[in-house]
Amino acid sequence: MQIARIRTRRLFHLFLIKPSHYDDDGYVIQWARSSIPANTLATLNGLALDCAERRVLGEDVELLVTAWDETNTRIRPNRIIRQIRESGGHGLIALVGVQSNQFPRAVDIARPLRAAGIPVCIGGFHVSGCLAMLPELPPELRDAMDLGITLFAGEAEGRLEELLRAADRGKLEPAVQLHERPAEAGGRAGAIPPVDVVRRTMGVRTSFDAGRGCPFLCSFCTIINVQGRKSRARSPDDVERLVRANVAQGVHKFFITDDNLARNQNWEAIFDRLIKMREQEGLAIRIIAQVDTMAHKIRGFIEKAARAGVDGVFIGLENINPESLKDARKGQNRITEYRAMLQAWHRVGTLTYAGYIIGFPGDTPATIERDIHIIQKELPVDLLEFFSSHRYRARKITRSCIWPACPWSVI
C-alpha cells in the first residue's frame, strides 16, 4: 500500500511600505485620506504579484505580498515581526520610493525589524540619487548599512526576483546597485496597487508611468540622474493592460507620473488607445499628467490628450524671469509662450496646475510680489504651487491658489 505524501507550502512574506516623513515636532505625517498612491508602490506591487504568480522562489514557496502607504496607514513593526515569525520566519521588508525627507523615517521603521533579524531593504530617489550623484556615501546611508539594511539603487524591473531569492537564502548584499538601466520602461507587470490602498486616497486615484527619463537638463531635477536623459516608453499594450487592470477593481482615475508626458515618443499611440477605450467602450477614464510649457506646439497633442481623458495638467512654469530660468538651466521654457499654452489647455477644458520656484539669486520680496501680480493679471493659470530654490534644489514650501476662479481652492 502506498501512502500519499502531503507537501506543505512554505510561506515568504514581502511587505512593501512607502514611508511618510516627520513634521517639525517629530510626528509622523499621516492623513485619513492621502493624495495619490506613490507610483513606486504601485509598480513594485505589480512586479511582486508577477513574481508570486511565476513562483520565482520555487514551486513549494508561496509569496504573500502586502503593500502599505504610511501616509494613510499606521505601520506597526511588532505586528510585522510577529506575522513573519508565526509563518515560519521567511520574509523581506522593502521600504520603497523613499525620498530624502522620508529616509530618516524609513530607517526608524527598519530598526526594530533588523533587531529581530528580518531582512530590510530601502530603495527610492534618495538612495539612487546619492549613489548616482555623490562621490562617496553620505553618513545616513553608511549608518543604515551598519544596521544591516540593504540599499537598493535603480529600477526593479527584472531585478526584484533576484532580490527576493537573495533574501530567502539570507544572502542580501549591503548594496544592490544597477549600473546599466533597462532599455525599456515596459514589461509584463504594470503599476497595480491594491484597491484598499487606492481607496484610502482622495478621489480614489492611482498612478502609473507611461515612460521614464527626460532629455532636458534642469539643474534642480533629479530625474535625469536617477532615470537618465534617454526617454524610455511603455508600449500602448502595456498602458492598456494596466489601465484595464485598475478599472477592473473600480479605479478609473489616474495620475501619469512621467516627468514630461509630452516627450514620450509613444504619446500619440497611447492616447489613441485611451481614446478608443473611452469613446468606443464608454470607460470613464480621467487623467492628470505632467507636461512641459511647449506641449501646445506639438500638433494634436492637447486635443488628443483631452479626448484621452486628461482633465488636469501639472506644468513647470518655474519662473517668469528670463535670468532665473537661465540660472535653472530651463532654456526650453519660453515665457512668451506661457499665455498661449495655458489658453490652449483651457480651450479643451483642462485644468492647469503650475509649479513656480522662488529664491533665485535675483529674487527679493518685492520682485516676487511683482511677478506674482503679473501672473495673476496676465496668465490664466488655475493653481500655482510655490517651491523654494536653495542652491538650485527645489523644495516645496507651500501650496496656494492665486487665481480667483480656481476650483481646487480647497486643496
Side-chain angles (χ1 to χ4, degrees), residues 201-245:
T201 65
M202 293 185 298
V204 191
R205 184 184 299 273
T206 189
S207 59
F208 68 88
D209 56 358
R212 297 175 189 165
C214 182
F216 297 124
L217 286 168
C218 310
S219 62
F220 53 83
C221 185
T222 58
I223 289 290
I224 56 178
N225 296 303
V226 175
Q227 296 184 354
R229 292 188 61 207
K230 179 183 178 181
S231 295
R232 295 167 287 130
R234 293 189 187 274
S235 70
D237 288 340
D238 284 337
V239 172
E240 179 179 351
R241 189 182 304 116
L242 67 88
V243 168
R244 287 191 184 279

Side-chain angles (χ1 to χ4, degrees), residues 152 164 256 258 261:
F152 188 98
L164 292 171
I256 299 180
D258 293 36
L261 184 59

Side-chain angles (χ1 to χ4, degrees), residues 383-395:
L383 264 176
L384 195 66
E385 183 173 8
F386 293 98
F387 297 77
S388 69
S389 174
H390 175 62
R391 301 175 71 88
Y392 311 131
R393 295 175 187 171
R395 177 175 62 86

Side-chain angles (χ1 to χ4, degrees), residues 346 350-352 376 379-384 401-410:
H346 283 165
T350 298
L351 184 139
T352 55
Q376 288 177 308
L379 299 182
V381 62
D382 297 312
L383 264 176
L384 195 66
C401 171
I402 65 160
W403 197 252
C406 170
W408 284 5
S409 57
V410 295

